[in-house]
Amino acid sequence: NAGVTQTPKFRVLKTGQSMTLLCAQDMNHEYMYWYRQDPGMGLRLIHYSVGEGTTAKGEVPDGYNVSRLKKQNFLLGLESAAPSQTSVYFCASTHLGIEAFFGQGTRLTVV
Amino acid sequence: AQSVTQLDSQVPVFEEAPVELRCNYSSSVSVYLFWYVQYPNQGLQLLLKYLSGSTLVKGINGFEAEFNKSQTSFHLRKPSVHISDTAEYFCAVSEEAGTALIFGKGTTLSVSS
C-alpha cells in the first residue's frame, strides 16, 4: 500500500501565482487533514475534512481553499501565493481520528 | 477549543540517560492522545497513542507515556536514550467524538555521547 501520497514534493512559486497540492490516500480513511509546518511553530491545522464533500476550517485557514470531491483525495489550493505561505505542507488521514498517517510533505517556496 | 502545550522546546541529554518530554492539553471532553516523532527531512511517525483503558501506554523504540486525566498531561518517557533517538517529538490531541487533530509546537530531543 502506498498510504498517503502528496504531489508535488517541491515547488517554487512567484508571489501571486496559484497552485494546487494533491493528497491521495488508499486506506479508505474518512478524515483527512492539511497542515503547515514552520520552525518553532509545530504543525498547524489549515483545513480538514470528515468525509467526501465536507470540509472545515482549522487554525490557519486564511489564503487557502480545499476540496474533497472523492473520499481518497484532498486538495489544497493557494489562489494567490504570498511569501508568508512558504512552508512545508503535510497531509494526513485517519480512521475516525485514530492514528493519523502522514504524507512525506511538500516543500513550498514563494518568492 | 482543544489545545496542546509542550513545555520544553529543546531537551539535550547524554546517551543512556533517561528522558521525559512533557505535554499538557486542554479539552472539555474525552480525548485521544498521541506522540509522533519526526526525523530530519521526513514525515511524522506514530510513537504511541492513548484511546482508552490503561493510562500507561507503551510504544515503539522503548518509549512509553502516561495519561493523567486530573493533570491533563501525557508525558513521554524513555529510561535510556540512544543517539538515534535524536529527533523532533510532537504531542497531539483529538477529541473523542470530534475530528480536528491538534499538535503541540514540538520538542527537539538531542542525544549526545
Side-chain angles (χ1 to χ4, degrees):
Chain A
N1 284 343
V4 179
T5 303
Q6 291 182 231
T7 309
K9 291 184 171 49
F10 303 92
R11 185 72 185 269
V12 178
L13 283 180
K14 293 183 179 179
T15 297
Q17 286 184 321
S18 63
M19 78 165 294
T20 300
L21 282 67
L22 171 63
C23 177
Q25 53 97 0
D26 61 4
M27 297 170 283
N28 203 34
H29 286 166
E30 297 81 6
Y31 300 171
M32 296 186 74
Y33 312 85
W34 275 107
Y35 294 91
R36 59 177 292 172
Q37 183 178 24
D38 304 290
M41 301 297 291
L43 277 78
R44 292 181 291 170
L45 183 63
I46 304 171
H47 286 280
Y48 64 99
S49 168
V50 301
E52 184 177 323
T54 70
T55 62
K57 294 181 180 180
E59 303 168 84
V60 289
D62 294 341
Y64 305 94
N65 57 74
V66 288
S67 65
R68 185 131 180 240
L69 299 179
K70 294 182 178 180
K71 186 177 184 179
Q72 63 268 32
N73 296 336
F74 195 29
L75 280 62
L76 178 70
L78 286 73
E79 292 186 346
S80 180
S84 60
Q85 294 177 304
T86 293
S87 187
V88 180
Y89 292 85
F90 285 100
C91 176
S93 71
T94 78
H95 169 61
L96 300 178
I98 300 170
E99 186 171 356
F101 289 82
F102 283 83
Q104 289 301 300
T106 297
R107 189 173 296 275
L108 175 66
T109 302
V110 182
V111 298
Chain B
Q2 61 201 52
S3 65
V4 179
T5 302
Q6 292 185 240
L7 298 163
D8 307 292
S9 60
Q10 296 189 20
V11 174
V13 295
F14 288 108
E15 194 173 20
E16 298 183 7
V19 70
E20 178 179 79
L21 306 184
R22 297 179 294 167
C23 173
N24 286 94
Y25 69 93
S26 66
S27 176
S28 58
V29 299
S30 297
V31 295
Y32 295 153
L33 294 159
F34 309 86
W35 276 98
Y36 286 86
V37 60
Q38 185 181 35
Y39 299 103
N41 299 314
Q42 294 188 23
L44 279 74
Q45 178 184 3
L46 181 70
L47 272 180
L48 48 78
K49 63 189 176 195
Y50 171 80
L51 305 180
S52 64
S54 173
T55 57
L56 183 62
V57 180
K58 295 188 182 298
I60 62 171
N61 301 339
F63 285 93
E64 64 180 32
E66 186 157 17
F67 169 54
N68 188 318
K69 188 174 182 178
S70 63
Q71 297 187 4
T72 60
S73 68
F74 191 55
H75 300 332
L76 181 70
R77 302 185 183 99
K78 187 170 183 178
S80 177
V81 295
H82 303 288
I83 298 286
S84 59
D85 292 323
T86 295
E88 189 153 20
Y89 292 79
F90 293 96
C91 182
V93 61
S94 69
E95 294 180 342
E96 187 172 340
T99 54
L101 180 61
I102 302 299
F103 283 79
K105 293 186 177 182
T107 298
T108 301
L109 175 64
S110 300
V111 182
S112 57
S113 57

